[in-house]
Amino acid sequence: MTEFHPVRRALLSVSDKTGLIELGKALAERGVELLSTGGSAKALRDAGLTVKDVSDVTGFPEMMDGRVKTLHPNVHGGLLALRDNDDHVAAMDKHGIAAIDLLVVNLYPFEATVAKGADYDTCIENIDIGGPAMIRAAAKNHGFVNVVVDVEDYEKLLGDMDQHEGATCPRFRKKLAQKAYARTAAYDSAVSNWMASALELEAPKRRAFAGELKQTLRYGENSHQKAAFYTDGSDRPGVATAVQLQGKELSYNNINDTDAAYELVAEFDPAETAAVAIIKHANPCGVARGATLAEAYQQAFDCDRTSAFGGIVALNQPLDAETAAKITEIFTEVVIAPGASDEAKAIFAAKKNLRLLLTDGLPDTRASIVAYKQVGGGMLVQDKDVGYVNLSDLKVVTEKAPTDEQMQDLLFAWKVAKHVKSNAIVYVKDNATVGVGAGQMSRLDSANVAASKAQRMADVLGLDESLAKGSAVASDAFFPFADGLLEAAAAGATCVIQPGGSMRDDEVIKAANDAGIAMVFTGMRHFRH
């Protein structure tokens, strides 16, 4: 394998023409012959560059609406031939095949076409065939051929050529080849997953997952773990698509927690009321609705002031100055919101380490997307939990029925419980969490933890009784025994929302009746592991 190979002939065929003219001129100045196709050739020629059409090389015109133009031995032979193999060189001479030393290709915008909601036939027409075939050929022959699939690599290519007197080094070509294969893999992943969705296949034989590097992280969950952040190309509002206005780079844990916070706060319609979620270690430590963001933030903060320190704050409305001032009263890692006023930005500007992320909206919490988790030797794949219950879905199972106000708190608590690690118990009063028990091995323990938090915050606030007094309680799954419900009743809860479905439902219902509290069943659970 040749160590250094000069670039004498290049084929440029791109959908995204960003930087194409500049690259073409730079290559021509370095004595590189240019080949091209269709719109790329026209753009280069209009810029005054000498370009040979691929159709002149193949002896065939572009045909079938451009579906066939580069699938020809004169192209693929030029990309695949081993320059140090006598048989390959002889075949090139015999058939008049000239070597291609550089391939610059980016693919038809299939992902963007799907994202725009195009119909099936339009999406099919935007599946590139010739591009991936050439990319794979050039990448396989990276001992001699450079393959560039990203605009960001144009300058790197020219730099490597200049460093090696018009040639490129083997390591550089290997890196280009790796990126090329990753690009075609991601492209095929997008196509196959789109087709599976279009065909409504719940479990296709093979699943492909792909991502594009957004950020190399300092470390993962812990300092000894390497990590990076990849995006999937979707336009879902959230941490992956947000614009960071200030603060140092997000960490692995910041990204994970910010995602959890924004997905939770999006459960609350900003047209109805302001809402704030404060997250710590992927669990909510305070969630509230209010007439204003500032009011909602204060109520969320008062649920657990200790855990809120160094937390993530998510808002369902644009950040305003009053709320910004309140948030800066304590150390906060990240704030994410669908916009911010100039006054709020100015207040945050004084806190250089506070990260402010702005999005162009809230994620649709009812939009079905695929969620996956790695396990040893494989992946678990499921639909994202978009389960939702309305007031009309609730079944009163106790002698006492909840009041209208209690029903509202029950539904609020249910939305929050969906985003709390199981086992989850959530106490809510007046549209604000007052106690959250998360991730315990028993539901009784979660109820106890939530109750103790409610009592501790009451002590901090100087109140005579626990914040849980008169609260509504949500359990993300059924109570297997009556003990967890009785713990909530002892803490002062007056009503409970839970899925139901336990073999001991009758025992739990009787305990609720004996305690004089109301209870409703949802028929749906929200495990979150």
Side-chain angles (χ1 to χ4, degrees):
M1 183 180 289
T2 306
E3 286 295 306
F4 295 93
H5 186 73
V7 178
R8 299 190 180 98
R9 197 160 179 256
L11 171 52
L12 285 63
S13 181
V14 295
S15 175
D16 178 4
K17 295 176 176 55
T18 303
L20 173 64
I21 304 304
E22 293 79 6
L23 176 63
K25 289 180 177 179
L27 291 172
E29 289 170 358
R30 289 162 174 79
V32 179
E33 179 187 0
L34 303 181
L35 309 179
S36 194
T37 62
S40 298
K42 183 180 184 304
L44 291 166
R45 200 169 281 122
D46 288 347
L49 293 167
T50 300
V51 184
K52 179 180 287 188
D53 287 311
V54 165
S55 58
D56 294 334
V57 174
T58 64
F60 282 87
E62 294 184 15
M63 62 181 72
M64 302 176 187
D65 299 318
R67 284 188 170 204
V68 178
K69 53 189 174 186
T70 60
L71 298 170
H72 192 279
N74 283 355
V75 173
H76 284 269
L79 293 170
L80 283 166
L82 297 173
R83 278 56 158 173
D84 59 357
N85 183 301
D86 291 341
D87 289 341
H88 286 205
V89 173
M92 293 173 73
D93 291 341
K94 179 178 178 180
H95 298 287
I97 298 173
I100 299 172
D101 310 306
L102 167 63
L103 176 71
V104 180
V105 171
N106 53 56
L107 306 175
Y108 292 172
F110 174 81
E111 297 100 328
T113 302
V114 172
K116 291 177 183 176
D119 59 41
Y120 186 91
D121 288 343
T122 300
C123 291
I124 290 294
E125 285 306 310
N126 276 275
I127 298 175
D128 203 324
I129 302 300
M134 289 192 294
I135 289 171
R136 290 188 178 101
K140 177 174 181 175
N141 202 24
H142 62 266
F144 303 95
V145 180
N146 303 271
V147 53
V148 178
V149 296
D150 274 341
V151 173
E152 66 184 31
D153 288 327
Y154 291 178
E155 286 298 324
K156 296 175 185 176
L157 167 72
L158 298 171
D160 203 69
M161 289 174 63
D162 291 343
Q163 185 178 350
H164 301 105
E165 300 179 350
T168 55
C169 72
R171 178 170 174 77
F172 179 69
R173 293 195 300 273
K174 287 178 182 178
K175 290 173 69 175
L176 290 178
Q178 184 280 326
K179 182 177 283 191
Y181 279 123
R183 178 64 188 113
T184 57
Y187 198 75
D188 287 342
S189 169
V191 174
S192 65
N193 288 330
W194 167 76
M195 291 197 76
S197 176
L199 293 170
E200 298 182 347
L201 301 179
E202 292 184 2
K205 175 69 174 177
R206 288 185 173 84
R207 277 266 189 197
F209 303 93
E212 182 174 354
L213 181 65
K214 180 180 176 72
Q215 178 186 342
T216 300
L217 303 172
R218 287 169 292 165
Y219 52 83
E221 284 185 283
N222 301 290
S223 59
H224 60 276
Q225 295 173 267
K226 295 179 180 179
F229 181 29
Y230 288 82
T231 58
D232 63 11
S234 67
D235 59 357
R236 186 177 180 86
V239 67
T241 55
V243 175
Q244 183 172 346
L245 261 63
Q246 66 171 63
K248 58 187 178 181
E249 278 193 344
L250 294 169
S251 70
Y252 181 101
N253 292 326
N254 290 154
I255 293 168
N256 187 55
D257 289 352
T258 302
D259 176 67
Y262 211 51
E263 291 289 329
L264 193 167
V265 86
E267 297 279 358
F268 304 102
D269 186 349
E272 293 181 1
T273 183
V276 173
I278 306 175
I279 294 287
K280 195 70 169 290
H281 300 304
N283 274 307
C285 55
V287 186
R289 292 188 294 191
T292 65
L293 279 176
E295 178 184 306
Y297 172 77
Q298 188 62 54
Q299 289 181 285
F301 178 61
D302 285 342
C303 175
D304 187 349
R305 292 183 176 183
T306 301
S307 298
F309 186 87
I312 311 292
V313 176
L315 317 173
N316 74 338
Q317 295 178 354
L319 176 68
D320 57 68
E322 183 182 3
T323 310
K326 281 184 171 291
I327 291 172
T328 57
E329 289 175 0
I330 67 163
F331 170 61
T332 299
E333 289 273 9
V334 182
V335 175
I336 183 169
S341 69
D342 290 340
E343 293 81 5
K345 293 176 187 177
I347 292 171
F348 272 19
K351 300 287 185 177
K352 300 299 183 184
N353 290 328
L354 173 60
R355 294 107 158 165
L356 175 59
L357 305 182
L358 300 183
T359 72
D360 59 1
L362 294 170
D364 181 356
T365 57
R366 302 193 201 182
S368 181
I369 58 177
V370 175
Y372 52 95
K373 179 186 296 185
Q374 184 177 11
V375 296
M379 304 287 286
L380 285 172
V381 180
Q382 64 174 350
D383 293 333
K384 184 179 176 66
D385 184 0
V386 296
Y388 184 85
V389 296
N390 291 302
L391 188 63
S392 59
D393 298 320
L394 302 182
K395 178 184 178 183
V396 179
V397 295
T398 48
E399 296 167 358
K400 180 181 290 187
T403 65
D404 290 344
E405 290 77 12
Q406 287 175 330
M407 278 292 196
Q408 292 306 310
D409 275 349
L410 287 170
L411 287 171
F412 181 95
W414 185 247
K415 288 181 178 180
V416 175
K418 174 182 172 182
H419 296 266
V420 178
K421 300 291 185 182
S422 300
N423 290 310
I425 295 291
V426 178
Y427 291 73
V428 166
K429 186 175 181 181
D430 297 331
N431 290 308
T433 57
V434 293
V436 178
Q440 300 302 307
M441 286 65 74
S442 82
R443 201 155 297 279
L444 174 62
D445 287 342
S446 290
N448 188 281
V449 167
S452 67
K453 283 177 173 288
Q455 181 60 61
R456 186 168 69 246
M457 274 309 302
D459 295 339
V460 170
L461 296 171
L463 302 178
D464 294 331
E465 58 185 12
S466 168
L467 293 177
K469 188 75 172 179
S471 65
V473 173
S475 174
D476 65 336
F478 61 66
F479 286 101
F481 302 98
D483 53 2
L485 180 137
L486 293 174
E487 178 70 25
T494 57
C495 53
V496 172
I497 184 170
Q498 60 136 319
S502 167
M503 65 173 59
R504 294 185 177 85
D505 275 349
D506 289 343
E507 175 187 325
V508 176
I509 292 170
K510 181 180 184 303
N513 284 328
D514 290 345
I517 63 177
M519 185 162 62
V520 298
F521 283 1
T522 65
M524 174 189 295
R525 77 180 187 196
H526 282 310
F527 272 154
R528 188 179 186 86
H529 294 112

